[in-house]
């Protein structure tokens, strides 16, 4: 068998990424729900549909500062006093005068009623008097206090917010699986909802493994590598909505790794490790976690996935609590791509979030690129909207292993297993990264 044939056979033995993700996600269940005060709910995911208990607005109210009046009093032939000649700025050639019988602010609560030929001065948000069907903005008047001259006649309903106009009681505000954003908190509060049932944010512990690792801040010597992964993946988990904890570096010591994992299962809903996923003699994570030792660890299955970069991924559970574990490669670029492909969907599943995956679009490729045969590649890219609609996709230099490209990317270009060359001008798939710049 030739070297080319050997390579093709090896690629054919890899598990397709879609099949692998499906097998992992089917094993997961969302964390048990809990009832939270509205002020604590931000950042969590709703576990139940939420329905408005009150209308928004709760009552008919003024939308602007002005004068609440009845259209029949100011329309042509109405009951107001008509002045002549018209004042400057009166496009209708007439001025209507009404008596101002009171002032209403947002805190006014006693019901009042209009009588023919009168109006109330109102502030935005004030309840509308009974019998009023419009609000004349102050700039359309002489801003009188005892009486007011109206220079323009609005239509019925002008500058009035009717009760339930925005959200009637009983409206479905958000479905289960919806992320609780600041705007949603505002909507819930406006409709009288003080508590919601949510899934808690998953507690994610990040561990970097390897005898070669040294802490950030030290210059690496031959045989030493600065620990990039535990810092980067802790940030990535936090960005995904998790409560992320960095444990730091664990040496390639079997007892130390077992003890660390046993300790962390007490406070974690998910453990992420990096390094040691290969088949080499120093790949301690795979050696320890891929076999069961009583009830203490395992089993964690390590799978060769048709993914570039980083084909070797691990998933399983540890400890009596069966805490999920995601094992990612040690290369920082491969670890970050592995997080996006595997760990982020796992976090979203635990959180009960929908959708589980990043949003994707199709875009116009600006540069011809090649990709490994038989592997699904995720490559950092800059995605931009075109003036005429659609998107352009610019691959970043260095490919998926370059940290500088990952730092600049706002998207991940996805090239399928059968794609070896993508020509400039072709249409490609890209995942959008939610980067806060």
């Amino acid at each position: 068998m030739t070297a080319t044939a050997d390579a093709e056979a090896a690629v054919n033995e890899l598990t397709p990424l879609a099949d692998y993700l499906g097998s992992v996600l089917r094993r997961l269940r969302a964390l048990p729900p809990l009832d939270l005060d509205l002020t604590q709910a931000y950042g969590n995911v709703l576990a139940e549909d939420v329905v408005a208990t009150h209308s928004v607005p709760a009552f008919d109210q003024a939308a602007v500062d002005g004068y609440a009046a009845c259209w029949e009093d100011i329309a042509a032939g109405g009951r107001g006093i008509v002045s002549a000649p018209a004042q400057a700025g009166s496009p209708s050639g007439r001025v209507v005068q009404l008596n101002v019988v009171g002032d209403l602010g947002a805190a006014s609560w006693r019901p009042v009623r209009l009588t023919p030929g009168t109006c109330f001065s109102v502030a935005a948000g004030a309840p509308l008097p009974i019998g009023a069907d419009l609000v004349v903005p102050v700039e359309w008047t002489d801003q009188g206090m005892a009486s007011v001259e109206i220079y323009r006649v609005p239509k019925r309903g002008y500058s009035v917010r009717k009760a339930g106009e925005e959200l009637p009681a009983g409206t479905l505000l958000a479905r289960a699986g919806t992320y609780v954003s600041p705007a949603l908190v505002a909507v819930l509060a406006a409709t009288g909802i003080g508590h919601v049932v949510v899934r808690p944010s998953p507690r994610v512990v990040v561990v970097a493994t390897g005898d070669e690792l040294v802490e950030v801040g030290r210059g690496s010597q031959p045989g030493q590598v600065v620990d990039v992964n535990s810092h980067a993946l802790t940030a990535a988990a936090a960005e995904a909505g998790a409560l992320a904890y960095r444990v730091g570096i664990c040496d390639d010591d079997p007892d130390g790794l077992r003890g660390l994992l046993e300790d962390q299962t007490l406070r974690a809903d998910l453990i992420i490790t990096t390094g040691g996923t290969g088949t080499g003699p120093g790949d301690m994570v795979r050696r320890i976690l891929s076999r069961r030792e009583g009830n203490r660890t395992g089993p964690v299955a390590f799978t060769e996935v048709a993914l570039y970069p980083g084909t070797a991924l691990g998933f399983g559970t540890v400890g009596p609590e069966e805490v999920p574990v995601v094992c990612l490669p040690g290369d920082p670029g491969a670890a970050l791509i592995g997080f996006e492909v595997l760990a982020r969907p796992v976090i979203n599943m635990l959180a009960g979030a929908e959708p589980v995956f990043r949003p994707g679009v199709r875009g116009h490729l600006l540069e011809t690129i090649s990709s490994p045969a038989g592997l699904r590649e995720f490559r950092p890219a800059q995605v931009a909207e075109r003036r005429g609609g659609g998107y352009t996709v610019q691959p970043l230099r260095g490919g998926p292993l370059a940290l500088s490209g990952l730092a600049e990317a706002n998207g991940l270009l996805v090239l399928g297993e059968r794609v070896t060359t993508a020509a400039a001008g072709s249409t490609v798939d890209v995942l959008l990264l939610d980067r806060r710049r």
Side-chain angles (χ1 to χ4, degrees):
M1 184 178 289
T2 65
T4 301
D6 287 341
E8 290 179 353
V11 166
N12 291 334
E13 292 177 359
L14 299 178
T15 301
L17 179 59
D19 293 347
Y20 179 68
L21 288 177
S23 67
V24 168
L25 299 181
R26 282 192 294 270
R27 296 178 58 182
L28 296 168
R29 295 293 182 270
L31 298 175
L34 51 88
D35 187 288
L36 286 185
D37 181 89
L38 188 57
T39 57
Q40 299 175 312
Y42 166 72
N44 294 292
V45 173
L46 293 175
E48 298 178 351
D49 294 351
V50 182
V51 175
T53 56
H54 300 291
S55 298
V56 178
F59 48 85
D60 293 352
Q61 61 184 224
V64 298
D65 296 336
Y67 297 86
C70 175
W71 182 83
E72 292 180 351
D73 284 340
I74 59 176
R79 296 172 298 204
I81 301 173
V82 179
S83 301
Q87 300 292 320
S90 175
S92 63
R94 61 195 297 275
V95 175
V96 177
Q97 185 176 3
L98 297 177
N99 291 326
V100 181
V101 295
D103 301 320
L104 298 176
S108 299
W109 59 274
R110 293 183 182 277
V112 294
R113 182 182 297 273
L114 282 180
T115 57
T118 67
C119 65
F120 279 83
S121 172
V122 293
L128 215 63
I130 299 170
D133 56 12
L134 57 83
V135 176
V136 182
V138 291
E139 57 268 24
W140 293 7
T141 73
D142 67 348
Q143 304 183 32
M145 299 178 66
S147 65
V148 62
E149 292 186 347
I150 299 172
Y151 304 143
R152 295 180 62 180
V153 178
K155 297 179 180 179
R156 276 195 176 96
Y158 190 83
S159 294
V160 171
R161 298 186 67 208
K162 302 292 289 184
E165 178 182 285
E166 182 176 349
L167 293 170
T171 299
L172 177 63
L173 301 177
R175 295 191 179 277
T178 301
Y179 170 81
V180 180
S181 65
L184 182 55
V185 168
V187 169
L188 297 175
T191 56
I193 296 172
H195 289 259
V196 287
V197 180
V198 299
R199 305 283 180 184
S201 297
R203 300 166 299 169
V204 176
V205 168
V206 180
V207 184
T209 68
D211 288 338
E212 75 279 10
L213 297 179
V214 295
E215 291 288 352
V216 169
R218 292 179 54 183
S220 61
Q221 305 295 325
Q224 296 180 333
V225 177
V226 173
D227 171 26
V228 172
N229 288 342
S230 68
H231 294 278
L233 296 182
T234 302
E239 184 193 52
L243 300 175
Y245 305 94
R246 174 185 175 265
V247 172
I249 300 171
C250 178
D251 295 334
D252 288 328
D253 170 56
D255 291 335
L257 178 60
R258 293 189 193 101
L260 183 148
L261 293 176
E262 288 176 358
D263 290 342
Q264 296 307 317
T265 56
L266 300 176
R267 69 162 179 170
D269 299 307
L270 172 67
I271 297 173
I272 299 176
T273 71
T274 67
T277 61
T279 57
D283 290 320
M284 189 61 62
V285 170
R286 187 167 188 152
R287 288 172 57 191
I288 296 300
L289 298 186
S290 61
R291 65 175 183 265
R292 180 184 293 276
E293 298 187 8
N295 291 324
R296 297 204 312 172
T297 60
V300 174
F302 288 82
T303 306
E304 301 302 315
V305 182
L307 168 68
Y308 181 75
T311 58
L313 299 174
F315 179 79
T317 61
V318 293
E321 299 84 2
E322 297 188 340
V323 175
V325 177
V326 167
C327 301
L328 302 177
D331 179 87
L336 283 168
I337 295 295
F339 179 91
E340 288 295 332
V341 171
L342 176 59
R344 175 182 283 274
V346 168
I347 290 172
N348 285 337
M349 285 291 292
L350 294 174
E354 298 177 7
V356 171
F357 299 103
R358 294 273 200 184
V361 297
R362 292 178 63 80
H364 179 85
L365 186 62
L366 298 180
E367 178 183 319
T368 298
I369 53 175
S370 59
S371 183
L375 302 178
R376 181 167 291 266
E377 180 180 357
F378 292 79
R379 180 177 297 205
Q382 278 286 344
V383 184
E385 291 190 50
R386 297 196 293 188
R387 287 187 177 181
Y391 298 87
T392 60
V393 182
Q394 176 61 59
L396 294 171
R397 294 184 181 278
L401 295 175
L403 293 181
S404 58
L406 282 166
E408 296 175 12
N410 63 359
L412 288 177
L413 170 61
V414 184
L415 300 171
E417 291 86 346
R418 296 183 179 181
V419 176
T420 56
T421 302
S426 61
T427 300
V428 293
D429 294 315
V430 60
L431 298 179
L432 300 179
L433 302 179
D434 180 22
R435 296 289 167 81
R436 297 168 175 82
R437 296 182 183 269

